[in-house]
Amino acid sequence: MIELYLLEHLQAFSKYGTLSAAAEHLHIAQPSLSRSMQKLEGILNVTLFERQKNRITLNETGKLAAEYAKRILDQEAEMERHILTFDRSRHTLTIGSCAPGPLMELLPKTTGLFPNMTVSSAINTEDNLMSGLKSCDYSLIILPKAPDDKDLYCIKHCTEHLYLSITPFHPAASYQEVTFADMDGQNFIMYAHVGFWESIVHEKMPHSKFFKQDNLDAVGELTHFSDLPSFSSSITLKTMASRHDNRIHIPFSDAESCATYYLICKKQDQTKWNPLFKLL
């Protein structure tokens, strides 16, 4: 049986081209690497190298062996990652979302329903969320549309409407509603991790500048002491009471300012997360 370290040594030699460079990468002595290559040749009962004075290179058989070595090591790494991810999924509920708003409503419900599990969340792009769900990096994901995939289970979670947040002295303070075009060119304070909302406001207000803050509490502090506009939503106004302080919130009327969110899991995991789906 071929031990994995021998394949690792062969792959390193194939990649770096010399015994000295491969040994340095592997953090072993060059004679140890030479013995590994000789041992591998003995196990396979073939010659893998062309040996010349002060030089050793892979022959055609060696190149084929190196290709197999890389393939086996890649599969071993994939096996380890999948097993670790699967084991973690048994104890951890990881929710990926396209925006922070729906997490504000979902996470408190989730922690109450699954008290023995560690609940974590992340904001990511729609493509990464879908691939992450299929690779078990996420237990559940939230998207602004229902996916067309027969292997997934999907349920409507909530809706979110984007609002303009301004001081009572802003010129738009008397408006009942605004459009992105109305506000294009103004400077905004904005939370840096708003997911897909970021591309929408950049596209719809190309002449505006957005001063991003990594911390949501910092956004609240800055808007409290600043005259600059910011953003709020139907969800943040409901879950964060401080957002009402010294600010007027006016809904955007554009179609793109309203999102419907869907909670999604693999169909094979539907029973596992049914308590959460029933609550929604």
Side-chain angles (χ1 to χ4, degrees):
M1 180 178 293
I2 301 174
E3 297 172 87
L4 284 177
Y5 83 91
L6 295 176
L7 300 182
E8 290 171 348
H9 289 185
L10 178 61
Q11 184 185 34
F13 179 81
S14 175
K15 181 177 180 179
Y16 292 98
T18 66
L19 286 171
S20 58
E24 182 179 355
H25 169 74
L26 294 166
H27 303 293
I28 62 174
Q30 185 172 323
S32 297
L33 181 58
S34 295
R35 287 193 293 272
S36 292
M37 298 299 93
Q38 292 168 0
K39 182 177 180 179
L40 185 58
E41 286 181 313
I43 293 172
L44 294 171
N45 198 28
V46 296
T47 299
L48 300 175
F49 303 93
E50 297 287 347
R51 292 176 169 88
Q52 301 170 350
K53 186 177 181 180
N54 299 324
R55 182 184 170 125
I56 179 174
T57 58
L58 288 169
N59 60 24
E60 293 303 312
T61 304
K63 291 176 183 178
L64 178 62
E67 290 177 9
Y68 271 101
K70 182 179 185 308
R71 196 180 308 169
I72 292 168
L73 291 170
D74 286 346
Q75 289 178 337
E76 188 267 344
E78 182 181 3
M79 170 186 167
E80 182 178 341
R81 188 180 76 84
H82 276 273
I83 289 174
L84 289 173
T85 300
F86 176 77
D87 184 67
R88 186 184 66 208
S89 72
R90 296 176 64 243
H91 313 286
T92 304
L93 200 173
T94 305
I95 305 174
S97 179
C98 61
L103 289 173
M104 294 179 183
E105 293 205 331
L106 188 66
L107 290 178
K109 299 174 183 177
T110 303
T111 53
L113 286 172
F114 304 100
N116 296 323
M117 299 189 78
T118 300
V119 179
S120 64
S121 63
I123 307 296
N124 214 326
T125 64
E126 294 182 35
D127 288 342
N128 287 342
L129 291 170
M130 284 291 288
S131 61
L133 180 64
K134 292 179 179 180
S135 65
C136 297
D137 290 327
Y138 297 116
S139 314
L140 298 156
I141 60 172
I142 300 171
L143 296 179
K145 59 184 177 184
D148 183 18
D149 190 324
K150 61 181 177 60
D151 294 324
L152 301 179
Y153 176 75
C154 173
I155 188 172
K156 182 178 176 181
H157 170 33
C158 65
T159 59
E160 184 175 34
H161 200 119
L162 195 65
Y163 282 70
L164 171 69
S165 177
I166 53 177
T167 67
F169 309 105
H170 191 278
S174 62
Y175 292 8
Q176 296 300 307
E177 60 183 21
V178 294
T179 65
F180 290 125
D182 292 333
M183 300 304 296
D184 187 22
Q186 300 218 16
N187 299 329
F188 286 82
I189 298 170
M190 187 170 80
Y191 181 45
H193 308 290
V194 293
F196 78 102
W197 286 118
E198 181 174 358
S199 60
I200 289 177
V201 297
H202 276 282
E203 178 185 348
K204 295 298 179 179
M205 294 184 285
H207 303 101
S208 293
K209 293 181 179 179
F210 303 94
F211 302 106
K212 299 178 184 178
Q213 302 295 318
D214 282 323
N215 187 287
L216 193 56
D217 290 333
V219 174
E221 286 293 316
L222 286 174
T223 55
H224 185 74
F225 295 104
S226 172
D227 292 333
L228 287 178
S230 63
F231 298 101
S232 59
S233 79
S234 53
I235 293 177
T236 59
L237 290 174
K238 182 169 59 175
T239 58
M240 302 174 67
S242 61
R243 285 303 179 98
H244 293 274
D245 296 343
N246 303 316
R247 286 267 161 169
I248 295 173
H249 304 277
I250 303 170
F252 284 93
S253 60
D254 308 74
E256 296 86 352
S257 67
C258 189
T260 299
Y261 297 113
Y262 296 86
L263 184 62
I264 304 153
C265 74
K266 291 181 179 178
K267 190 166 287 186
Q268 67 193 45
D269 295 331
Q270 179 183 347
T271 302
K272 184 177 182 179
W273 309 123
N274 245 350
L276 185 58
F277 293 130
K278 288 180 178 179
L279 188 63
L280 299 179

